[in-house]
Structure formats: C-alpha cells, structure tokens
C-alpha cells in the first residue's frame, strides 16, 4: 500500500478578545503629555497559522492541536496575550531662549546655544506573554509533542545565571516529568507567564532658524536608556530530550531557559 499526507483545514478554531482601553492626553504651554492603558484578555484554542503564511510557521509538533477531535483541550490564553499594556510619552519644550519663559530676550548668539531645545520620552511597560512547557516527547500520537507533566510544586520564576551557559529567567526542570504513554499530561496550555517587558527611549533635539522659512535640527536619540534587559521566552520551552516514548524510564531532566 501507499501512504501520503493529506492537509485538512476547516474553521473549527475560535477566539475571543475583550479589553478596557483608557487614553489620556494633556497639553500645557510647552508640554505635551499622553498615556494609553489596556487591560485585556485574548483566548483561543490555537494562535498559529496552519498554512505557515505568518511567523508561526504552520503546523509543527508543538503547534498542532493536542486532540483534533477536542479543541477545548487547548483553549486558553492566546500565545500573544498580554494582560496589561501601558505606554506613556511626553514632549517638553525646555523653557529657555527666545519666545520662552526664561532668557526670552537673549541675544542671537546666546540663544543659538541655549534656546530651542526639546526633550521627549517614550516609556513602554507590559505584562509577559503566556507559555507552555513541552515534554519534547511524542507520548499520545505521532504528531504532537505532549506538554510536560507537572509533578511537583513550581518554584518562583527566577534566573538561571548560575547555571553554566545560561543567562536569563528560567527554572531547573525538577517540577516536570514525562506524561504517561498514551496521555497528554496534566499541564494546560499557556499556564505559565513570562517576565514583564519595560523600555524607555529618550530624545533631545535643538532647532535652528536659518531664515524665516528654513530651519535646521540636530538631535540625539537613545534607545533603552536605562539598559533594562528584556527576555523573550520561547513558547513552548522544552523540558526533556527525546522523540517517541514507550516507557517513561531513562529520561534525564534538562535546564529550562
């Protein structure tokens, strides 16, 4: 007999998104301030693109449904869900120089040095994305790697910088095991949360008047001015090595990073 692959697609998946969005903008003399905040939740049973036309890369051993006859097994927070997102910006005309609060009558030469400066900041903060811990083993079928079995208390999500070759957040994979043969394990999809994200960018610039019509500008931009590290967690992370399991013995836990 001959065997081949059949790609079957339908519209069985579903998703839901609900959010509260707040926007605030304030303009005073020489100062423009804005804030946006979103509190939301996105739920689905699959966040990937089955035909691979986006960055998710199609159906793989970690993105295929756990059970194609029961999508509810994978219904959980979307891979891209971030519960809270906050963005703040400000643009400040430093009140020094001609036409501003201080040294408004400064001579042209002095004004060319101290006048016309603007300072701006953009601050972004958001909660982390959810993720799963994969066993890396085919325990239920020959397509989908099952999620790791939770066999003990989950320690605080800390840093593995003390582990040789690893820098960043993670665990030593002691709370996880391999699901029994023929099962999917007891871990739900996206039950863990990655670290929060924070970033601050800053700009300072000065405008020169060449003529009434023509102006020139010099500026300096600094990105992530606080040098704050942001770690991206692979989803799913893998706790074990191997392919297909017929017996749970002989599997050695690895460092999860």
């Amino acid at each position: 007999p001959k065997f081949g692959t059949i790609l079957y697609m339908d519209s069985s998946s579903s998703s839901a998104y609900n959010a509260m969005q707040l926007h605030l903008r304030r303009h005073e003399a020489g100062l423009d301030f804005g804030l946006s905040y979103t509190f939301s939740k996105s739920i689905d049973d699959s966040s990937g693109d089955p035909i691979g036309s986006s960055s998710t890369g199609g159906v793989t051993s970690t993105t295929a449904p756990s059970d194609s006859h029961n999508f509810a097994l994978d219904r959980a927070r979307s891979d891209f869900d971030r519960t809270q997102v906050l963005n703040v910006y400000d643009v400040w005309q430093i009140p020094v120089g001609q036409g501003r609060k201080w040294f408004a009558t400064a001579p042209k030469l002095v004004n060319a040095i101290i006048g016309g400066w603007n300072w701006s900041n953009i601050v972004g903060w958001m909660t982390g994305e959810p993720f799963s811990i994969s066993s890396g083993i085919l325990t239920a079928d020959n397509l989908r790697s099952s999620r790791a079995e939770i066999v003990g208390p989950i320690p605080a999500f800390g840093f593995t910088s003390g582990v040789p070759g690893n820098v960043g957040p993670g665990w030593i994979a002691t709370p996880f095991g391999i699901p029994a043969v023929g099962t999917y394990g007891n871990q739900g999809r996206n039950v863990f949360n990655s670290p929060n994200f924070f970033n601050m960018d800053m700009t300072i610039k000065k405008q020169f008047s060449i003529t009434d019509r023509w102006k020139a500008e010099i500026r300096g931009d600094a990105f992530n001015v606080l040098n704050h590290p942001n770690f991206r967690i692979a989803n799913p992370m893998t706790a074990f090595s191997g392919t297909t399991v017929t017996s749970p013995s002989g599997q050695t836990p690895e460092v999860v990073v």
Side-chain angles (χ1 to χ4, degrees):
K2 295 183 178 180
F3 298 93
T5 300
I6 297 176
L7 178 61
Y8 175 79
M9 292 186 297
D10 63 17
S11 56
S12 299
S13 294
S14 63
S15 62
Y17 175 79
N18 293 280
M20 176 189 70
Q21 297 179 329
L22 300 175
H23 300 276
L24 173 66
R25 184 172 181 179
R26 182 75 175 178
H27 181 75
E28 299 286 348
L31 177 64
D32 195 15
F33 171 84
L35 177 151
S36 63
Y37 172 77
T38 301
F39 182 82
S40 65
K41 190 170 188 177
S42 177
I43 299 175
D44 60 28
D45 46 44
S46 176
S47 298
D49 180 357
I51 60 174
S53 60
S54 70
S55 60
T56 55
V59 176
T60 67
S61 62
T62 57
T63 62
S66 295
D67 184 347
S68 58
H69 300 289
N70 185 11
F71 283 14
L73 285 177
D74 293 328
R75 191 159 184 83
R77 290 175 60 198
S78 303
D79 295 351
F80 50 82
D81 179 59
R82 292 186 184 269
T83 305
Q84 299 183 75
V85 178
L86 174 68
N87 288 288
V88 180
Y89 79 89
D90 66 88
V91 179
W92 181 40
Q93 292 182 350
I94 299 176
V96 176
Q98 292 180 0
R100 300 188 179 181
K101 185 175 181 178
W102 295 306
F103 298 97
T105 58
K108 282 189 174 182
L109 180 60
V110 175
N111 186 70
I113 299 173
I114 66 172
W117 290 95
N118 292 274
W119 183 283
S120 59
N121 301 281
I122 300 177
V123 178
W125 173 86
M126 62 186 77
T127 53
E129 294 176 325
F131 66 94
S132 306
I133 304 293
S134 171
S135 69
I137 311 294
L138 304 174
T139 62
D141 54 44
N142 201 36
L143 176 62
R144 170 66 185 242
S145 297
S146 60
R147 289 184 281 270
E149 184 91 358
I150 299 176
V151 297
I154 305 298
F157 195 70
F159 282 80
T160 58
S161 55
V163 179
N166 291 278
V167 177
W171 301 289
I172 304 298
T174 51
F176 305 106
I178 299 173
V181 179
T183 69
Y184 300 106
N186 63 355
Q187 180 194 155
R189 171 174 167 249
N190 288 344
V191 296
F192 301 105
N193 215 59
S194 61
N196 295 342
F197 173 91
F198 176 82
N199 184 66
M200 180 176 180
D201 299 331
M202 187 178 296
T203 296
I204 185 167
K205 64 181 181 179
K206 176 176 171 55
Q207 196 172 76
F208 297 89
S209 296
I210 300 175
T211 66
D212 291 340
R213 182 179 178 184
W214 296 95
K215 299 181 184 298
E217 180 182 277
I218 61 171
R219 63 185 293 159
D221 297 308
F223 301 97
N224 191 16
V225 294
L226 301 180
N227 197 29
H228 179 78
N230 291 296
F231 295 97
R232 184 180 184 275
I233 305 300
N235 188 14
M237 297 200 294
T238 303
F240 301 94
S241 61
T243 53
T244 303
V245 62
T246 56
S247 171
S249 62
Q251 298 294 331
T252 304
E254 297 180 343
V255 175
V256 176
V257 293

